[in-house]
Amino acid sequence: MRSSTNFNMADAVALLTRTPASLHALLGGLPDIWVRRNEGPDTWSVYDILGHLIHAERADWMPRMRTILESGETRPFDPFDRFAQLRQDQSRPLEQLLDEFASLRKESLATLQALHLRDEDLTRRGRHPALGVVTLSELLSTWAVHDLNHLHQLSRVMAYQYRDAVGPFKAYLGVLHCKGHSAS
Amino acid sequence: MRSSTNFNMADAVALLTRTPASLHALLGGLPDIWVRRNEGPDTWSVYDILGHLIHAERADWMPRMRTILESGETRPFDPFDRFAQLRQDQSRPLEQLLDEFASLRKESLATLQALHLRDEDLTRRGRHPALGVVTLSELLSTWAVHDLNHLHQLSRVMAYQYRDAVGPFKAYLGVLHCKGHSAS
């Protein structure tokens, strides 16, 4: 399945499959300085990012895919709450979040496989409440890039904790000069 | 061991220890679109980034630490070649690079532990050929942040491959708006 862009189902699934184990290997058991601190007021910690990935896994990708397949453009997607995780119980250990994310991702990918999407399904259209018409392959591509978006963000949030500790080396560390580009 | 900045040896080692497994979980067996493509002329693919991490593990961190401990500020660090990996054999599978990185990192951390550094060693000074005087704790901090710098970079390089595939969702994906901040 390859569309006119670079989208390919097997490539996307290969990436989506690997994210949970990669996050687990990076973050499991890490000291709080890396996972509980953020970049200042109204920014997210790694812990918050994990909560967001969990919420997206429940409320964004598969539900929106179903909306496209069942209602096409006639029913807009339900809006997604980007801040839902900030209202969750903050006392759960990060390891629980990592496990929950892994288990939800596994379910999502099993559901995706069970849909047996065909090439022609990839061009089916839905309606995003703000962005307008999007296709199924754009939604699937975004699911994969969304993982990378938050890997990009969490590496920056973690690096920020050592922004002074690196001293003059800061000049060579691009991640410490990243401003976050709004959504990331 | 905590310096006046946030540096703490146990925190830094916790992160440095986890990077190889995290990269292995993310990248091992991934299709070429994610690991062999770059962001255009004179940019690095994930494969190139892995080569750079390997070269840094051999030629940067531990050798420079030794230079500080043995010569202090009297002998500047040997310059580091940021492009060495581009002259390496490009036909080796990525999995070999991942394994090599993991094994070199393990060695580096064993050597670090064997040095039995004390708190007062962290303020020992060396001379960077371009940046001037740096301390041992700044070098150690940079080692950790350098991992994050390249995690930040590789998530961006991977996301770039789907820059068109995501369609209108691009507006919400900060990683696709990241310009790379020079060194990253």
Side-chain angles (χ1 to χ4, degrees):
Chain A
M1 284 196 200
R2 189 167 287 282
S3 71
S4 62
T5 62
N6 274 334
F7 178 78
N8 173 284
M9 184 67 89
D11 292 343
V13 168
L15 179 56
L16 288 162
T17 305
R18 282 163 174 76
T19 309
S22 178
L23 291 179
H24 200 284
L26 181 67
L27 305 172
L30 262 195
D32 279 357
I33 182 178
W34 302 123
V35 296
R36 289 284 191 166
R37 298 202 194 168
N38 60 20
E39 297 170 293
D42 298 321
T43 64
W44 293 2
S45 66
V46 166
Y47 188 91
D48 298 328
I49 295 168
L50 249 291
H52 167 76
L53 287 170
I54 287 171
H55 185 62
E57 209 61 26
R58 285 192 201 287
D60 193 328
W61 314 113
M62 293 313 295
R64 288 180 168 192
M65 219 169 297
R66 283 214 184 78
T67 304
I68 292 182
L69 294 172
E70 290 165 10
S71 314
E73 295 172 57
T74 59
R75 189 167 85 78
F77 303 149
D78 294 331
F80 179 77
D81 181 355
R82 288 185 56 241
F83 302 100
Q85 70 280 359
L86 306 177
R87 297 187 303 273
Q88 300 289 312
D89 172 11
Q90 304 289 310
S91 69
R92 295 173 66 204
L94 184 77
E95 285 64 29
Q96 264 186 36
L97 273 62
L98 288 164
D99 290 345
E100 187 177 357
F101 176 57
S103 128
L104 289 167
R105 174 58 56 87
K106 210 172 160 182
E107 267 176 53
S108 306
L109 290 174
T111 309
L112 176 67
Q113 202 180 11
L115 287 173
H116 296 297
L117 296 176
R118 295 153 304 170
D119 275 3
E120 55 267 38
D121 291 322
L122 294 177
T123 54
R124 291 177 71 168
R125 294 147 68 103
R127 184 170 298 279
H128 187 282
L131 299 172
V133 173
V134 295
T135 65
L136 190 60
S137 87
E138 286 165 354
L139 181 67
L140 287 162
S141 302
T142 301
W143 187 12
V145 175
H146 185 261
D147 280 6
L148 297 170
N149 196 56
H150 289 291
L151 194 59
H152 187 252
Q153 180 190 25
L154 69 82
S155 58
R156 188 190 70 227
V157 175
M158 291 167 74
Y160 181 82
Q161 311 313 322
Y162 267 19
R163 65 197 177 284
D164 297 322
V166 298
F169 287 104
K170 183 173 178 180
Y172 292 167
L173 295 162
V175 67
L176 294 174
H177 301 273
C178 179
K179 296 301 177 209
H181 329 291
S182 69
S184 85
Chain B
M1 283 194 200
R2 191 168 288 282
S3 72
S4 62
T5 63
N6 274 334
F7 178 78
N8 173 284
M9 185 67 90
D11 292 343
V13 168
L15 179 55
L16 288 162
T17 305
R18 283 162 173 77
T19 308
S22 179
L23 291 179
H24 200 284
L26 181 67
L27 305 173
L30 261 196
D32 279 357
I33 182 178
W34 301 122
V35 296
R36 288 285 191 163
R37 297 201 195 169
N38 60 21
E39 298 171 291
D42 298 322
T43 64
W44 292 1
S45 66
V46 167
Y47 188 91
D48 298 329
I49 296 168
L50 249 291
H52 167 75
L53 286 170
I54 287 171
H55 185 62
E57 208 62 27
R58 287 192 199 286
D60 192 329
W61 314 114
M62 293 312 296
R64 288 180 169 191
M65 218 168 299
R66 283 216 183 79
T67 304
I68 292 182
L69 295 172
E70 290 165 11
S71 314
E73 296 172 57
T74 57
R75 188 167 84 78
F77 303 150
D78 294 330
F80 178 76
D81 182 356
R82 288 185 57 240
F83 302 99
Q85 71 280 359
L86 306 178
R87 294 187 304 272
Q88 300 288 311
D89 172 10
Q90 303 289 310
S91 68
R92 296 172 65 204
L94 184 77
E95 284 64 30
Q96 264 186 37
L97 272 63
L98 288 164
D99 290 345
E100 186 177 357
F101 176 57
S103 128
L104 288 168
R105 174 58 55 88
K106 209 170 159 183
E107 267 176 53
S108 305
L109 290 174
T111 308
L112 175 68
Q113 200 179 13
L115 287 173
H116 297 295
L117 295 176
R118 296 153 307 170
D119 276 3
E120 55 267 37
D121 291 322
L122 294 177
T123 54
R124 290 176 71 169
R125 295 147 67 104
R127 185 170 299 278
H128 186 282
L131 298 171
V133 173
V134 295
T135 66
L136 190 60
S137 87
E138 286 166 352
L139 181 67
L140 286 163
S141 302
T142 301
W143 187 13
V145 175
H146 185 262
D147 280 5
L148 297 170
N149 196 56
H150 289 290
L151 194 59
H152 187 253
Q153 180 189 25
L154 69 84
S155 58
R156 189 191 70 229
V157 175
M158 291 167 75
Y160 181 82
Q161 311 312 323
Y162 266 20
R163 66 198 178 283
D164 296 323
V166 298
F169 286 105
K170 183 171 178 180
Y172 292 167
L173 295 162
V175 66
L176 294 175
H177 301 275
C178 179
K179 296 301 179 211
H181 329 292
S182 69
S184 86

